[in-house]
């Protein structure tokens, strides 16, 4: 009786433990579900905040592009006298002010295509919304609204200046009209538009970054708690199952059945894990393809835009040449051609021809750089290369590029450093990085130095290109390798040099390239390469 009594007490205690575990398990389930739902909610909150940021930035870009389109149409009208440019000018203004509905596919390049095709957008007065109304609908901060309002007001003041140029042109004073639209005052007024837009975009990005950081922090905390709850749930579940297993073992002595059940459970988990692994591999492959498609989607519009600008200039100037020649033919046939008119027409034709040639050369330069970006047209053999000798050769080439006398090039690489690589491609990388530093790092400086150094590692060798120039802001550093990004596009830069360098280093030379910079402290580009490059790299 004593043994039975003790055995009964043991079984009753195990039942009590099982009930307690059931209660704790229920609490753990509730906590897990609650925090999983909270993490999903914060994830949606992140998506909404990011969408708001993108929409706000797009509105800032829309104001900038509409201002640029108005400038382009105003200048084209007073230069060519073609009334369609004035009509397009009025369309753009009315769309921005909410007087006309925005046409389908309205965005970057719309008016360039309209000019070429002669397309007249349909005037619709339904579902209209001005740019200012769109901004107010986002419920932005007072400072952000004020920046956009300032930019739009300044743009409206510029429109008034363009309207005055139209008046002068239509009164017959074409030179004054052109001079007004290319005057320093006009460019100053233009900058008063772009400044607030840039500040608006920077302010939006800064605020949204702070808000998103807070949301992410909350989201991460919820996710961690959810994971902890799930782990606790698994632990409690395991304890409960173990308690049940012991109870059943004591009651019916079915150890073999329980072991078989556990084996089945483990096999099921392994199968689920294998299926999850296969699903993960498929998802990774899809993500890689999507990233390639995204990169191509970013590159193709940039190529089209960069080539379209000089082509548009060439087309406009060719039209101007035809008008000059028609006027020349008419005056000649009517015996009205004076020496002054002849000289003026020859000068205008010469100016147009030079501008067209400049545009064609820019297109040729762009195409050459696109070929370098693809790197499929270069034949290069894998060779053992001296870093010191290669840098000397690059400096010799750079000096042929008319490097400013105020910039000093220093090859501080020691002899004795060799790697197996493609010499032409590595030369092109160093050439682009050094030339980029020479052109951008020393704006406003009387002199500067560019140093190329080398450091050997266990399996890699790193080439450093350092300058003591003005340095870069962090947002510029983050975009420095992006295609078509340049801080001096107005000076003819294409923004492809560093993009080409990165493409070669990562895809051809099996290496890494990184930029470090601070304002006022210069910049450093680290080019890390393997000592031995596989000969089957393509």
């Amino acid at each position: 009786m004593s043994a039975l009594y003790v055995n009964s007490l043991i079984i009753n205690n195990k039942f009590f433990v099982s009930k307690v575990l059931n209660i704790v398990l229920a609490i753990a389930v509730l906590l897990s579900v609650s925090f999983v739902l909270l993490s999903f909610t914060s994830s949606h909150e992140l998506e909404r905040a990011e969408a708001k940021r993108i929409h706000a930035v797009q509105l800032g870009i829309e104001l900038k592009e509409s201002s640029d389109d108005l400038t382009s149409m105003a200048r084209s009208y007073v230069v060519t006298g073609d009334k369609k440019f004035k009509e397009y000018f009025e369309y753009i203004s009315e769309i921005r002010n909410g007087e006309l509905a925005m046409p389908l596919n309205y965005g970057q390049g719309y008016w360039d295509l309209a000019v070429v095709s002669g397309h007249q957008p349909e005037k619709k007065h339904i579902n209209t919304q001005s740019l200012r109304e769109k901004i107010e609908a986002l419920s932005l901060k007072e400072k952000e609204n004020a920046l956009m309002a300032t930019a739009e007001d300044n743009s409206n003041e510029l429109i008034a200046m363009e309207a005055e140029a139209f008046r002068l042109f239509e009164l017959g004073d074409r030179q004054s009209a052109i001079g007004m639209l290319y005057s320093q005052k006009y460019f100053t007024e233009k900058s008063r538009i772009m400044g607030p837009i840039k500040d608006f975009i920077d302010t939006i990005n800064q605020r949204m970054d702070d808000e998103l950081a807070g949301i992410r922090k909350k989201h991460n905390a919820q996710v961690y708690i959810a994971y902890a709850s799930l782990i606790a749930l698994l632990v409690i579940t395991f304890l409960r199952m173990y308690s049940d297993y012991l109870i059943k073992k004591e009651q019916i002595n079915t150890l073999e059945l329980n072991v078989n059940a556990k084996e089945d459970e483990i096999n099921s988990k392994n199968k689920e894990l294998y299926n999850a692994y296969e699903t993960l591999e498929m998802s990774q492959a899809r993500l890689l393809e999507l990233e390639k498609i995204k990169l191509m989607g970013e590159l193709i519009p940039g190529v089209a835009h960069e080539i379209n600008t000089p082509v548009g200039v060439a087309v406009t100037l060719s039209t101007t040449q035809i008008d000059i020649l028609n006027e020349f033919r008419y005056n000649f046939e009517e015996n009205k051609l004076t020496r002054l008119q002849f000289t003026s027409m020859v000068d205008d034709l010469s100016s147009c021809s030079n501008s067209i040639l400049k545009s064609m050369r820019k297109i040729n330069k762009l195409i050459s750089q696109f070929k370098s970006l693809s790197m499929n047209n270069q034949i290069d053999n894998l060779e053992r290369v001296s870093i010191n000798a290669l840098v000397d050769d690059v400096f010799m080439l750079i000096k042929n590029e008319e490097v400013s006398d105020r910039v000093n090039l220093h090859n501080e690489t020691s002899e004795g450093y060799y790697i197996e690589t493609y010499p032409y491609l590595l030369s092109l990388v160093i050439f682009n990085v050094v030339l980029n530093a020479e052109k951008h790092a020393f704006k406003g400086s009387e002199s500067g130095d560019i140093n190329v150094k080398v450091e050997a590692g266990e399996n890699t060798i790193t080439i450093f290109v350092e300058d003591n120039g003005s340095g870069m802001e962090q947002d510029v550093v983050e975009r420095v390798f992006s295609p078509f990004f340049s801080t001096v596009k107005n000076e003819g830069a294409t923004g492809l040099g560093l993009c080409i360098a990165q493409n070669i280093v990562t895809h051809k030379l099996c290496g890494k390239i990184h930029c470090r910079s601070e304002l006022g402290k210069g910049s450093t580009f680290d080019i890390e390469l393997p000592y031995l490059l596989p000969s089957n790299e393509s």
Side-chain angles (χ1 to χ4, degrees), residues 375 378-387 390 419-430 504-505 507-510 529-538:
M375 295 179 298
Q378 300 296 342
I379 300 175
D380 203 6
N381 296 320
L382 198 62
E383 298 179 12
R384 190 168 182 264
V385 178
S386 166
I387 299 297
L390 185 140
I419 61 171
E420 187 177 88
T421 189
Y422 295 108
Y424 170 80
L425 295 180
L426 181 55
S427 298
L428 183 58
V429 170
I430 298 174
I504 292 173
V505 170
H507 293 88
K508 289 292 184 179
L509 304 184
C510 299
L529 302 170
Y531 279 113
L532 298 176
L533 187 66
S535 58
N536 61 347
E537 281 296 324
S538 60

Side-chain angles (χ1 to χ4, degrees), residues 19 34 50-51 54 59 74 110 116 139 183 229 252 284 364 408:
K19 290 179 180 180
S34 298
E50 185 62 34
I54 292 172
L59 290 178
Y110 179 88
V116 175
S139 300
S183 65
S229 300
I252 59 177
Q284 289 174 334
N364 183 62
N408 302 309

Side-chain angles (χ1 to χ4, degrees), residues 184-366:
Q184 182 61 41
K185 179 181 178 182
Y186 186 88
F187 287 112
T188 301
E189 292 297 321
K190 188 74 173 177
S191 68
R192 292 179 63 237
I193 301 171
M194 301 308 163
I197 291 176
K198 180 183 181 301
D199 293 341
F200 168 78
I201 293 175
D202 291 343
T203 303
I204 282 289
N205 284 331
Q206 182 61 51
R207 179 171 68 83
M208 295 308 296
D209 285 344
D210 294 340
E211 290 183 9
L212 288 170
I215 297 173
R216 288 192 186 97
K217 184 176 180 181
K218 180 177 70 174
H219 174 71
N220 291 338
Q222 292 168 347
V223 169
Y224 292 149
I225 296 174
Y227 282 153
S229 300
L230 288 172
I231 292 171
L233 179 62
L234 292 174
V235 172
I236 295 167
T237 302
F238 173 78
L239 292 175
R240 179 181 177 279
M241 292 173 63
Y242 184 71
S243 176
D244 290 343
Y245 166 75
L246 292 178
I247 292 172
K248 290 177 182 178
K249 180 181 178 181
E250 293 292 333
Q251 289 178 331
I252 59 177
N253 197 20
T254 54
L255 177 61
E256 184 177 355
L257 293 176
N258 281 290
V259 170
N260 291 336
K262 289 293 182 182
E263 289 178 350
D264 291 341
E265 181 182 353
I266 292 171
N267 290 334
S268 176
K269 293 293 183 182
N270 287 337
K271 185 176 180 181
E272 290 176 6
L273 182 61
Y274 178 78
N275 292 337
Y277 178 77
E278 287 188 330
T279 302
L280 178 61
E281 286 189 324
M282 293 174 63
S283 299
Q284 289 174 334
R286 291 194 200 101
L287 287 173
L288 182 60
E289 290 300 318
L290 288 173
E291 189 63 27
K292 292 180 180 178
I293 293 171
K294 177 184 176 183
L295 180 59
M296 185 63 67
E298 293 174 350
L299 184 61
I300 290 174
V303 172
H305 174 72
E306 290 297 325
I307 293 181
N308 186 62
T309 300
V311 168
V313 171
V315 170
T316 301
L317 292 175
S318 297
T319 304
T320 302
Q321 283 185 324
I322 291 172
D323 293 338
I324 294 171
L325 289 172
N326 288 336
E327 183 181 355
F328 177 89
R329 181 182 291 108
Y330 174 80
N331 289 334
F332 178 81
E333 291 173 353
E334 297 294 327
N335 292 322
K336 296 180 180 180
L337 185 63
T338 66
R339 177 179 294 274
L340 181 61
Q341 288 176 327
F342 178 82
T343 303
S344 175
M345 289 179 179
V346 169
D347 290 342
D348 289 344
L349 287 172
S350 176
S351 177
C352 289
S353 298
N354 289 333
S355 297
I356 291 172
L357 179 60
K358 182 179 179 181
S359 296
M360 294 300 101
R361 284 175 175 168
K362 183 174 182 181
I363 293 172
N364 183 62
K365 180 180 179 182
L366 284 168

